[in-house]
Amino acid sequence: MLRSLFITFEGLDGSGKTTQINRLAAWFKERGPGVLVTRQPGGTAIGDRIRALALDSRSTGLAPMAEMALMFADRAQAIAEVIQPALDAGKIVLCDRFTDSTEAYQGGGRELGSAAVLELHRLLCGNLQPGLTLLLLPSFEASLTRARRRNQRASEESGADEDRFEQEQDAFYRRVWRKYMEIATREPARVVLIEGDFSIDEVHEQIVEAVAKRLAGPAAGALHP
Ligand code: TYD
């Protein structure tokens, strides 16, 4: 039987998060039921509508504060509707992005600062903290190239317009990257930083190692495969 654990994945667009979440979800499923995978923004019907609004490149003129508020509206809904109920039911929750994304993109990228993000997290999200955060930071150049290539392909295939962030300049992404590093330095007990250009298998191994360590930790109880 697995016990509940809230794991978030963070990183720049193109960091390989989605592949790694799927790999870890499969790893958990081999060990028992009760794994829930979700993402932000999105993950609920209301969240999907917020996602469309926030990521659509036609949302020109969206003020940075409004953008941050949308991210928190999405998150508050996801916590109420999906995340907290799953944790209460003893599930493992894997979430693609959480408040660290808001701190990195809106706090760092949009230069709104960390204090506002952390305060809103306390007010709107009950200060829910992940038990473990896996921060994937391949080299800056590698993720940027990968993200641009991938997003172009995705837009062509699906016709969905989620390009608003991809149109940002490199300086924006450098600020996001720096803020992620700052978060990792500030919270080493929660955030496991996987930095550098590793293969998909190598990153997966590092993730499994970090998860197993967390599950075996004194406060965490044991994993019973
Ligand atoms: P996502 O679909 O996870 O992008 P990717 O798969 O490329 O990592 O996230 C969409 C975008 O939303 C991404 O560019 C980061 C941005 N974002 C924020 O700016 N703030 C937030 O709080 C969240 C959750 C996402």
Side-chain angles (χ1 to χ4, degrees):
M1 207 191 75
L2 297 167
R3 38 153 222 101
S4 76
L5 180 62
F6 182 30
I7 302 177
T8 58
F9 283 74
E10 293 286 351
L12 288 186
D13 314 59
S15 58
K17 281 182 292 99
T18 310
T19 306
Q20 294 299 336
I21 290 177
N22 293 337
R23 291 281 298 263
L24 186 63
W27 185 86
F28 271 118
K29 278 178 193 149
E30 281 168 17
R31 282 154 183 82
V35 186
L36 181 119
V37 180
T38 185
R39 69 167 180 179
Q40 293 187 356
T44 63
I46 289 169
D48 282 339
R49 294 171 73 182
I50 297 174
R51 181 182 177 93
L53 196 60
L55 304 190
D56 191 327
S57 58
R58 286 166 300 182
S59 294
T60 49
L62 182 63
M65 282 294 184
E67 180 180 274
M68 178 163 68
L70 284 177
M71 297 300 176
F72 272 109
D74 165 73
R75 187 162 302 125
Q77 184 66 30
I79 290 171
E81 194 178 320
V82 174
I83 297 173
Q84 195 61 58
L87 292 174
D88 291 345
K91 291 187 182 170
I92 303 282
V93 177
L94 307 183
C95 191
D96 189 346
R97 300 192 178 281
F98 195 60
T99 297
D100 294 328
S101 280
T102 315
E103 190 175 346
Y105 283 78
Q106 281 67 51
R110 301 276 187 238
E111 302 182 272
L112 299 180
S114 293
V117 176
L118 298 177
E119 184 61 23
L120 284 170
H121 186 69
R122 263 190 297 276
L123 281 170
L124 302 174
C125 303
N127 212 24
L128 176 67
Q129 296 295 332
L132 174 65
T133 295
L134 299 154
L135 173 53
L136 309 189
L137 283 184
S139 70
F140 182 72
E141 285 69 24
S143 26
L144 219 58
T145 316
R146 238 189 297 169
R148 295 230 152 102
R149 210 182 313 130
R150 192 199 54 180
N151 286 317
Q152 197 180 351
R153 206 173 42 227
S155 303
E156 281 164 11
E157 281 169 9
S158 70
D161 183 346
E162 294 196 340
D163 289 348
R164 211 169 61 82
F165 279 95
E166 280 70 50
Q167 290 168 359
E168 287 299 335
Q169 302 303 311
D170 288 9
F172 173 88
Y173 284 107
R174 280 192 194 281
R175 289 196 296 274
V176 175
W177 202 89
R178 272 204 303 273
K179 187 57 88 175
Y180 268 136
M181 290 302 270
E182 193 185 307
I183 295 169
T185 308
R186 186 182 71 207
E187 294 184 58
R190 170 175 69 86
V191 181
V192 170
L193 173 63
I194 299 176
E195 195 188 356
D197 295 318
F198 297 101
S199 71
I200 290 174
D201 284 344
E202 283 167 337
V203 174
H204 177 65
E205 274 166 33
Q206 292 185 46
I207 287 175
V208 165
E209 198 181 311
V211 168
K213 212 194 245 174
R214 194 56 45 108
L215 288 164
L223 173 69
H224 305 293

